[in-house]
Amino acid sequence: TALITLILCLSLGLTVVSRNITSTFFSRCEKFNEYDCKKVWDAFQQAYVNKDPCKVPVEAYDPLIAAAPFKPQCNRMMFWSKTKDVVHGFTEKRDCFVTLEDTLLGSVLDGLTWCGKEGSKDTNTTGCPGWSDCENNTVRSFWIRASAAFADVACGNVTAMLNGSINTPFNPTSIFASVEVPRFIASRVKNLNVVMVIQKNNISNCTDPSLKNLRQSIDTGITFSCKDVSESRIQECGSKPEIACGACW
Ligand code: AVW
């Protein structure tokens, strides 16, 4: 009985440590019908379990991406930088655009923290390295890998929401600038349409010099446009289904 008690306690301990992320992962995953969530969970775990949380390279997630590939959704793909809340506030209400966080992998891991530990089978959700604590950290490598795969399937008219309330709306260190934009290729992507989100106290807009850098860094053959759109207009379009997607801005 001592042995059985020990085994019970150990498995209970393991369950408590990873229960939250496991149940969140599965309950979010099961909303998507066309994937085998157990297979996706196993591919997810192999990326970081039993590893130093600062030694998980971007490539560690290749098998996860292969287990849940992104489907191209031409003319509906939405990228963003420093506009997470306004973008998702909109995509939640209207079926006009698809962001990474609306896909299976993006949605199951959105807002979560996870990491493993050398010599352990556990998934921890506390005590994990922060975004900038080390280069190859478990969570950051996932978002870089997933963003790259999402950008790889971009096609047709691509939209990006940038933030007019910061100094450099197109920041070279962002995932959008460093991982996604370089993957837009003219043979797949026709236009890159920037929606500059303008709030009351905006300090930049489509005339910002950083947008010139964006225009210059995109593949030749992809046309570029930028439109200043007030945050309230985006919210209005989110709450009024009678406004057609193409008439939002
Ligand atoms: P972002 P990106 N600490 O708004 O262009 C913790 O800067 O980079 O936009 N988490 C962080 C940090 C940090 N210092 N920096 C970034 N993050 C996480 C995927 C955090 O979750 C989509 F397809 C934040 O909400 C977009 O087109 C998120 O990264 C593109 O990448 C985005 O940071 C947005 O990346």
Side-chain angles (χ1 to χ4, degrees), residues 89-125:
F90 179 75
T91 59
E92 239 165 55
K93 297 198 197 102
R94 294 287 308 266
D95 196 26
C96 298
F97 296 99
V98 176
T99 68
L100 172 58
E101 295 72 23
D102 299 308
T103 67
L104 173 103
L105 286 181
S107 82
V108 292
L109 294 167
D110 193 18
L112 303 184
T113 299
W114 67 91
C115 65
K117 190 183 161 179
E118 257 185 306
S120 159
K121 294 199 303 192
D122 295 351
T123 297
N124 299 314
T125 52

Side-chain angles (χ1 to χ4, degrees), residues 59-228:
E59 306 77 56
Y61 289 100
D62 288 354
L64 174 62
I65 304 294
F70 294 101
K71 301 180 183 96
Q73 305 214 46
C74 301
N75 308 319
R76 282 165 43 84
M77 295 177 73
M78 170 71 85
F79 296 81
W80 54 271
S81 198
K82 297 281 185 291
T83 51
K84 195 173 200 262
D85 294 344
V86 48
V87 168
H88 293 140
F90 179 75
T91 59
E92 239 165 55
K93 297 198 197 102
R94 294 287 308 266
D95 196 26
C96 298
F97 296 99
V98 176
T99 68
L100 172 58
E101 295 72 23
D102 299 308
T103 67
L104 173 103
L105 286 181
S107 82
V108 292
L109 294 167
D110 193 18
L112 303 184
T113 299
W114 67 91
C115 65
K117 190 183 161 179
E118 257 185 306
S120 159
K121 294 199 303 192
D122 295 351
T123 297
N124 299 314
T125 52
T126 56
C128 297
W131 189 265
S132 318
D133 287 345
C134 47
E135 197 187 319
N136 285 326
N137 87 66
T138 316
V139 174
R140 185 161 85 160
S141 288
F142 166 75
W143 287 108
I144 291 174
R145 185 64 190 90
S147 302
F150 187 62
D152 279 336
V153 299
C155 47
N157 288 309
V158 165
T159 308
M161 272 195 195
L162 302 184
N163 191 336
S165 300
I166 55 177
N167 268 311
T168 314
F170 180 68
N171 189 326
T173 66
S174 67
I175 289 185
F176 176 64
S178 65
V179 176
E180 295 175 330
V181 169
R183 287 184 157 74
F184 298 157
I185 48 169
S187 55
R188 296 181 57 90
V189 175
K190 256 192 10 218
N191 313 294
L192 174 61
N193 304 314
V194 168
V195 172
M196 188 64 81
V197 182
I198 304 297
Q199 292 171 304
K200 292 183 289 292
N201 297 312
N202 69 302
I203 51 174
S204 54
N205 56 35
C206 285
T207 67
D208 188 81
S210 73
L211 273 285
K212 260 200 198 78
N213 299 337
L214 172 54
R215 192 188 282 268
Q216 284 164 4
S217 65
I218 54 175
D219 194 8
T220 347
I222 300 178
T223 57
F224 177 83
S225 73
C226 182
K227 194 161 184 185
D228 294 319

